[in-house]
Amino acid sequence: MAPSRSTTLLILGASGDLTSRLLLPGIATLLRSQPSRRVEIVGADLRELAAGDWHDRVRTALNVGGAQGAAAKAVLSSTRYVATDATDPVALRALLDSIACDRLVIYFALPPHITELVCGTLEQIGVPDGTILAIEKPFGDSLESARRLNALVTRIVPEERIFRIDHFLGLHTVLNLLGLRFANRLLEPTWDRDGIERVEILYDETVTLEGRAGYYDRNGALRDMIQSHLLQIMALIAIEPIASVGERDLRDAISQVLRAASVVDPVRHSRRARYTAGAVEGRDVPDYVAEEGVDPSLGTETLAEVQVEIANPRWAGVPFILRSGKSLAGVRKRAIVHWKAPAHVPKGLSGRDTPDRFVIDFKPDGFELHLTTNGKGDPFTLEQTVLRGELGGGSLLPYGEVLASILDSDPRLAVRGDAAEECWRIVEPVLDAWRSDAVPMHEYRAGSRGPRGWRTN
């Protein structure tokens, strides 16, 4: 049910790419799915933007997302844009005073250092009762900054009204992982160090910078994807059985996994690479360092891989390999659970050289179960048979699911403060090793599967 109270979504950084490309289309799919929902959208940023320009952006997003009727008309009739400096106490106070609603959601579509400055201003001037803060990843840029930002935002509003956004973890993706894991007796008895040899969590993309050099070149693949999204996916795959999918049970279990996780040897158990000139899906791609807006002196990687170990009785000795990269040969957004080979295969059966594995695909959600069976021609020769299935998906775009959870005050999809800090703790030794050049920078041709010799290619 849509909330009866009036809600205003204040987007700070509204003139940026994130708002046009993801936030506004997400709102549109939410209104299409829930046409009775009412929300006012106020955009704010330093950049001057004509009222007509802002309305055109909102209208375009609503049309593309399929929002129609009274819901779309209500948004268009009330939305507005304010050019202001949100780090200035007087300007921010005036902006907040101009908003009349029962509940305010402040969405930070801003770089981490600007988010921290704005939060400092909010601490000075205060926020209306019931305000929700929604903060885009990365949450800080180090463990120290994450701790500092956590302390700051919890002085503004309590933890339960802080939504650290991980758009990769939509509600259906989370529930699909939990359903596969805990609702299938076939899987649960083998889901531990006795049954599983290794787990790979892969996020290969064909896209390049797509105009995001200003952000990406200062973060790279490790910070952009592994530190946030992939560690959260790892935690969901590795969690202990939970009593419910309620917010506290779920987030407590995720944090328990992250506290036990580490990169034991940051030099031996991490790799990085950067793409060189090539072609991706028929498009010519230049060297990464030749891309517009890239500073070669930063040494930014476009492909990262780390091996994480979880020090608990269930997972001790099982490597979790997390990989993410851009400008690769194909899209892979999946987790692969590799089971151990059986202790003994009867003599007289041959041909089997690939252990069974379970593949979980994300966006679109699905699965593949690779099982060893007798061959079709020669029954004494074993081969792999693949069983495929689709998993339930929602009607909303990822940001539509995120915004629905925020507007409904459901923090299950948000990253809790302690989990955000643990993710930085896990990757910081790797970042330190890379800064000291203890780990070489490999290269791979744009459009290839990655550097030669990488097992995850």
Side-chain angles (χ1 to χ4, degrees):
M1 294 289 292
S4 59
R5 296 183 299 164
S6 63
T7 302
T8 296
L9 177 65
L10 170 60
I11 304 173
L12 302 180
S15 69
D17 173 70
L18 174 69
T19 299
S20 298
R21 186 168 55 90
L22 297 173
L23 276 178
L24 292 178
I27 293 170
T29 61
L30 177 58
L31 295 177
R32 181 192 66 203
S33 176
Q34 302 176 16
S36 62
R37 186 184 287 273
R38 292 295 179 266
V39 58
E40 179 187 13
I41 303 171
V42 177
D45 211 338
L46 276 173
R47 179 183 172 190
E48 293 286 345
L49 202 64
D53 190 358
W54 173 251
H55 274 80
D56 286 345
R57 294 186 185 197
V58 176
R59 183 182 295 106
T60 298
L62 292 176
N63 289 338
V64 171
Q68 299 175 344
K73 289 179 181 178
V75 168
L76 288 171
S77 66
S78 63
T79 191
R80 60 192 173 95
Y81 178 88
V82 180
T84 190
D85 180 1
T87 66
D88 178 77
V90 175
L92 187 55
R93 178 76 272 163
L95 175 61
L96 296 183
D97 287 345
S98 73
I99 297 172
C101 63
D102 295 320
R103 183 175 54 176
L104 174 64
V105 175
I106 303 178
Y107 199 108
F108 294 78
L110 298 167
H113 67 286
I114 303 299
T115 293
E116 188 169 357
L117 291 174
V118 174
C119 285
T121 305
L122 288 174
E123 184 187 17
Q124 293 179 45
I125 66 174
V127 296
D129 291 342
T131 295
I132 291 173
L133 304 183
I135 302 176
E136 272 288 330
K137 64 96 178 173
F139 190 77
D141 55 17
S142 65
L143 176 58
E144 179 185 359
S145 66
R147 285 173 172 164
R148 187 172 63 242
L149 189 52
N150 269 337
L152 174 57
V153 294
T154 51
R155 292 196 297 268
I156 303 169
V157 298
E159 172 66 33
E160 58 267 24
R161 287 196 269 119
I162 300 168
F163 285 71
R164 299 166 188 83
I165 305 304
D166 186 345
H167 65 268
F168 193 71
L169 292 181
L171 181 61
H172 283 83
T173 297
V174 171
L175 293 179
N176 283 338
L177 284 171
L178 297 177
L180 282 170
R181 168 77 188 280
F182 296 119
N184 289 287
R185 189 158 188 160
L186 173 70
L187 296 178
E188 179 59 20
T190 68
W191 212 260
D192 57 24
R193 65 192 302 268
D194 295 325
I196 292 174
E197 187 266 329
R198 72 184 188 279
V199 178
E200 296 174 334
I201 302 173
L202 312 174
Y203 198 90
D204 287 2
E205 299 181 280
T206 56
V207 297
T208 55
L209 289 182
E210 311 295 321
R212 297 174 66 231
Y215 163 77
Y216 193 84
D217 197 41
R218 284 160 180 76
N219 288 279
L222 181 62
R223 285 188 174 96
D224 184 46
M225 287 298 303
I226 293 177
Q227 181 274 332
S228 51
H229 305 317
L230 300 196
L231 282 173
Q232 293 292 321
I233 290 289
M234 180 198 76
L236 282 168
I237 290 172
I239 61 172
E240 293 298 311
I242 52 178
S244 76
V245 294
E247 173 267 328
R248 182 168 181 180
D249 285 343
L250 180 58
R251 299 211 292 180
D252 281 353
I254 288 173
S255 291
Q256 182 182 22
V257 172
L258 293 173
R259 285 194 298 271
S262 66
V263 180
V264 175
D265 188 331
V267 176
R268 292 180 57 244
H269 293 161
S270 73
R271 295 194 284 195
R272 57 178 176 159
R274 188 163 53 205
Y275 66 78
T276 58
V280 179
E281 298 178 334
R283 298 177 288 117
D284 288 336
V285 176
D287 283 352
Y288 174 77
V289 295
E291 294 267 23
E292 183 178 354
V294 168
D295 180 356
S297 68
L298 294 177
T300 303
E301 81 287 349
T302 59
L303 176 63
E305 180 181 299
V306 297
Q307 178 177 310
V308 180
E309 297 190 16
I310 300 172
N312 65 21
R314 181 182 294 271
W315 296 112
V318 178
F320 284 74
I321 300 166
L322 281 52
R323 162 181 160 142
S324 176
K326 291 186 177 296
S327 295
L328 291 158
V331 175
R332 290 192 300 173
K333 302 176 181 179
R334 55 177 32 182
I336 308 174
V337 177
H338 297 264
W339 278 298
K340 291 181 176 179
H344 173 70
V345 175
K347 292 180 180 180
L349 296 178
S350 62
R352 181 180 185 279
D353 61 359
T354 305
D356 300 338
R357 61 191 187 275
F358 188 56
V359 179
I360 306 168
D361 282 312
F362 308 113
K363 303 184 191 333
D365 291 1
F367 69 89
E368 295 178 356
L369 183 58
H370 295 243
L371 292 176
T372 301
T373 60
N374 295 82
K376 296 176 183 177
D378 179 0
F380 293 97
T381 300
L382 301 176
E383 62 183 29
Q384 287 278 301
T385 296
V386 182
L387 308 177
R388 294 183 173 88
E390 294 182 0
L391 297 173
S395 60
L396 302 180
L397 291 173
Y399 268 87
E401 290 193 345
V402 166
L403 288 164
S405 69
I406 296 170
L407 296 174
D408 294 338
S409 299
D410 179 359
R412 280 179 295 186
L413 302 187
V415 178
R416 204 166 64 186
D418 59 331
E421 293 181 12
E422 291 297 336
C423 288
W424 280 115
R425 177 194 58 78
I426 293 166
V427 302
E428 278 215 331
V430 177
L431 291 169
D432 290 341
W434 290 6
R435 273 190 290 265
S436 66
D437 284 329
V439 177
M441 178 73 78
H442 296 180
E443 292 184 341
Y444 63 99
R445 180 176 50 82
S448 69
R449 295 182 63 85
R452 185 174 302 173
W454 284 34
R455 186 181 186 183
T456 51
N457 285 346

